[in-house]
Amino acid sequence: MSDQPLDARERAELCDLFVAKGPDAPTLCEGWATLDLAAHLLVRETDLRSGLAILGGGRFASLETKLMDGARAQGYERIVERLRGGPPTLWRLPGLRPLLNEAEWFIHHEDVRRAGGDSPRTDRPDLDAALWRNVRRTARFMLRRVKGTGVALEAPGFGEVPPRGHDQNVRLVGGPQELVLYLSGRRSAAQVDITGSDEARAALESASLGL
């Protein structure tokens, strides 16, 4: 078992995958190839305006375009080289590092892996444990746009996150990796089981999830 922080391991493996796949490989991010995904990760870590661009929606679309174009202009090899060098100092602080990095780098690693046809990873118990902590911490925020129904989350062998009070509930069952992917909006790639009334399921499946 590697003694690297989980985010550092995911970063290194994703950078290796970027190199192996090249700049034009598909990802789970609609409209983005590997070059675009790598540019996004670089912008996220190196430009203070990235929060507005990433989270601000359509109001900041022009800013996002500008930042992404600037990153892409550096060239794919240079972007991957910079990403491989690790995050800025602030992103390495012990209290912030897991919060900012673990789920992000896992999700984007899977964006490339699963778009290329790779199966879920079954040999990473430390990753599963960390991602389950992430699910417990962020579930309500990631599900905040689900209206009219509560959502119970279950990861067999790890535990449950109970639904908030509603007359109707839906249950989402899967491993921690799959729950993180589903909650981040990667529905088509996430291997989960969903049970509940038709109406409750429709409320979950039609809601915009994630950030």
Side-chain angles (χ1 to χ4, degrees), residues 4 6-22 26-27 33-35 37-42 45 76 80-81 83-84 101-114 118 121 124:
Q4 283 184 305
L6 288 174
D7 65 287
R9 188 177 70 194
E10 292 295 300
R11 177 189 294 266
E13 292 182 3
L14 177 53
C15 286
D16 289 344
L17 194 56
F18 277 147
V19 171
K21 294 287 189 179
T27 77
T34 39
L35 171 60
L37 180 55
H40 159 77
L41 286 166
L42 184 65
E45 290 189 338
Y76 187 67
V80 175
E81 179 185 354
L83 291 173
R84 196 185 291 279
N101 291 311
E102 284 181 352
E104 180 81 6
W105 281 90
F106 161 76
I107 289 166
H108 290 316
H109 191 184
E110 294 302 294
D111 281 337
V112 181
R113 288 185 73 258
R114 299 206 190 188
D118 289 341
R121 288 176 279 171
R124 298 291 172 88

Side-chain angles (χ1 to χ4, degrees), residues 149-161:
T149 189
V151 182
L153 304 175
E154 179 184 352
F158 291 88
E160 299 186 19
V161 177

Side-chain angles (χ1 to χ4, degrees), residues 4 16 33 52 69 71 73 79 84 96 108 112 114 122-123 129 133 143 153 163:
Q4 283 184 305
D16 289 344
L52 291 174
D69 286 347
I79 294 171
R84 196 185 291 279
L96 287 177
H108 290 316
V112 181
R114 299 206 190 188
T122 59
D123 60 343
R133 290 193 295 270
L143 292 165
L153 304 175

Side-chain angles (χ1 to χ4, degrees), residues 28 106-107 110 113-114 118-122 127-128 131-132 134-135 142 153-156 158 172-194 209:
L28 296 181
F106 161 76
I107 289 166
E110 294 302 294
R113 288 185 73 258
R114 299 206 190 188
D118 289 341
S119 301
R121 288 176 279 171
T122 59
L127 179 62
D128 285 327
L131 292 175
W132 177 242
N134 179 271
V135 168
M142 303 294 269
L153 304 175
E154 179 184 352
F158 291 88
L172 186 64
V173 181
Q177 296 180 44
E178 308 311 308
L179 293 177
V180 167
L181 289 175
Y182 191 96
L183 294 177
S184 69
R186 277 75 172 171
R187 288 182 168 97
S188 63
Q191 298 186 7
V192 297
D193 293 320
I194 305 172
L209 302 179

Side-chain angles (χ1 to χ4, degrees), residues 39-68:
H40 159 77
L41 286 166
L42 184 65
V43 167
R44 175 180 178 266
E45 290 189 338
T46 61
D47 196 302
L48 293 176
R49 298 170 293 175
S50 63
L52 291 174
I54 294 169
L55 301 176
R59 294 173 297 167
F60 296 96
S62 61
L63 174 61
E64 182 179 20
T65 298
K66 177 181 177 180
L67 296 179
M68 289 284 286

Side-chain angles (χ1 to χ4, degrees), residues 13 56 98 124 198-199 201:
E13 292 182 3
R124 298 291 172 88
D198 290 345
E199 186 175 352
R201 287 169 57 97

